[in-house]
């Protein structure tokens, strides 16, 4: 009965996700414009894609945002979890405060941080009001720093969830391990690095997958906070796909960009799956 009950979900996954993905890949090799059509053009869409400055800028922005977000979100989330795991007072209140940003949508987060980083009434205005007249902090209006303004908002929203995942992993560590480390005279930091973190490998993998999925589909934060500006300095691949599929009415180009995003996911996913599951079978 359990297998029968799972049939609708299996069909949904095969038809909607697998079928939709295959359809997108196939039509990325066509000259589809406003409507799909089977006019094969080979790799023309991909050649045009990689000759477009907007796409190159989008890929570079996503690479910078992705690397910094993955490292900083993981580091901040683990540090917060480690602090809460020390049985501090008002742990429940702090946990709620840190997790609260994750309850907000990226649109709300983007608009909130747009105001916070605005030089007319945000951080720059407040600090100058304290007497530091030369202080300047306006990342969203500078093409060279706008991606870091987006990064601040993304880390602020995502760190709370990673903190909770890490805290659950830390609470699963046997207390006897900590007692043995204290008896052996091992410091707290060294215990985390050499004992606790290796034991939490599955937790870190889960956290990395969640962070990576959020990075790849980054779109609404950019639209709400900068709209892709100034100019094209904060464009990302997902926004490129939406713009070409629904505004420029160029389905073939949008499908090609979507396929390249899929390939970037597969480049990371396939080696990880081979090492994670293939290694177990060999062992």
């Amino acid at each position: 009965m359990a297998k029968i009950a799972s049939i609708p979900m299996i069909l949904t996954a095969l038809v909607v996700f697998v079928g939709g993905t295959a359809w997108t890949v196939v039509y990325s090799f066509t000259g589809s414009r406003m409507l799909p059509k089977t006019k094969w053009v080979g790799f023309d869409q991909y050649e045009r894609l990689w000759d477009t400055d907007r796409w190159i800028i989008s890929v570079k922005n996503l690479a910078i945002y992705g690397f910094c977000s993955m490292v900083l979100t993981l580091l901040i989330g683990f540090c917060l979890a480690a602090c809460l795991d020390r049985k501090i007072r008002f742990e429940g209140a702090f946990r709620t405060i840190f997790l609260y940003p994750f309850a907000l949508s990226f649109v709300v987060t983007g608009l909130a941080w747009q105001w916070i980083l605005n030089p007319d009434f945000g951080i720059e205005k407040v600090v100058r009001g304290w007497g530091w007249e030369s202080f300047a902090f306006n990342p969203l209006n500078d093409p060279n720093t706008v991606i870091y303004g987006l990064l601040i908002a993304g880390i602020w929203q995502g760190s709370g969830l990673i903190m909770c995942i890490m805290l659950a992993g830390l609470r699963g560590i046997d207390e006897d391990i900590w007692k043995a480390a204290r008896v052996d005279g091992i410091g707290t930091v060294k215990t985390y690095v050499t004992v606790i973190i290796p034991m939490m490998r599955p937790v870190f993998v889960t956290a990395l997958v969640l962070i990576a999925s959020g990075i790849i589909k980054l779109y609404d934060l950019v639209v709400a906070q900068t709209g892709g500006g100034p100019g094209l300095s904060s464009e990302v691949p997902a926004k490129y796909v939406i713009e070409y599929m629904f505004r420029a009415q160029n389905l073939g180009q949008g499908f090609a960009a979507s396929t390249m995003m899929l390939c970037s996911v597969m480049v990371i996913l396939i080696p990880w799956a081979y090492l994670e599951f293939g290694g177990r079978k060999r062992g």
Side-chain angles (χ1 to χ4, degrees):
M1 294 299 295
K3 293 180 179 179
I4 295 175
S6 64
I7 289 177
M9 184 57 67
I10 294 173
L11 292 176
T12 300
L14 290 176
V15 175
V16 177
F17 294 104
V18 179
T21 300
W23 190 85
T24 299
V25 173
V26 169
Y27 276 86
S28 68
F29 295 98
T30 67
S32 301
R33 298 291 296 181
M34 186 172 66
L35 295 174
K37 57 182 178 180
T38 55
K39 180 184 177 182
W40 301 102
V41 295
F43 289 93
D44 288 356
Q45 296 288 5
Y46 293 93
E47 292 176 1
R48 179 186 172 192
L49 179 68
W50 287 103
D51 286 337
T52 304
D53 292 338
R54 185 174 186 175
W55 173 253
I56 301 298
I57 293 172
S58 299
V59 172
K60 290 180 179 178
N61 286 338
L62 190 66
I64 296 172
Y65 180 93
F67 177 79
C68 296
S69 178
M70 190 166 291
V71 173
L72 295 177
T73 303
L74 201 64
L75 179 63
I76 294 173
F78 181 80
C79 291
L80 291 176
C83 292
L84 293 179
D85 192 49
R86 310 306 295 177
K87 306 296 191 298
I88 64 174
R89 296 182 63 184
F90 308 112
E91 176 190 332
F94 283 116
R95 188 168 59 242
T96 302
I97 292 171
F98 293 144
L99 185 59
Y100 177 74
F102 185 73
L104 303 176
S105 70
F106 266 124
V107 174
V108 175
T109 298
L111 291 175
W113 278 95
Q114 184 188 62
W115 282 65
I116 294 172
L117 299 177
N118 191 302
D120 294 329
F121 35 74
I123 295 176
E124 182 178 311
K125 176 71 172 181
V126 173
V127 175
R128 288 188 176 186
W130 292 342
W132 192 359
E133 296 293 338
S134 62
F135 179 80
F137 187 68
N138 186 18
L140 298 184
N141 291 325
D142 186 348
N144 297 319
T145 60
V146 63
I147 195 67
Y148 301 104
L150 294 170
L151 184 64
I152 293 172
I155 293 174
W156 178 78
Q157 185 178 44
S159 296
L161 175 64
I162 304 304
M163 177 205 68
C164 289
I165 294 173
M166 294 295 175
L167 184 60
L170 289 172
R171 292 288 163 83
I173 301 295
D174 194 338
E175 187 65 26
D176 292 337
I177 295 176
W178 284 105
K179 294 178 181 178
R182 295 190 192 100
V183 170
D184 293 338
I186 303 176
T188 302
V189 175
K190 189 174 181 179
T191 302
Y192 274 116
V193 174
T194 60
V195 180
I196 303 301
I197 292 179
M199 293 179 64
M200 293 177 59
R201 181 170 174 267
V203 178
F204 276 90
V205 170
T206 300
L208 286 173
V209 170
L210 291 175
I211 296 172
S213 65
I215 292 170
I216 294 297
K217 63 183 182 181
L218 178 66
Y219 170 74
D220 37 6
L221 180 64
V222 175
V223 173
Q225 197 168 355
T226 65
L232 299 175
S233 56
S234 61
E235 287 286 319
V236 290
K239 189 173 183 295
Y240 183 95
V241 172
I242 297 297
E243 291 286 340
Y244 271 83
M245 289 184 64
F246 298 103
R247 293 189 180 180
Q249 296 182 347
N250 190 338
L251 292 180
Q253 185 68 188
F255 291 155
S258 300
T259 303
M260 294 308 304
M261 292 177 64
L262 175 64
C263 290
S264 65
V265 174
M266 299 305 293
V267 166
I268 299 172
L269 184 61
I270 292 176
W272 169 80
Y274 177 77
L275 294 174
E276 186 70 15
F277 301 106
R280 292 181 183 178
K281 291 180 179 180
R282 290 193 302 270

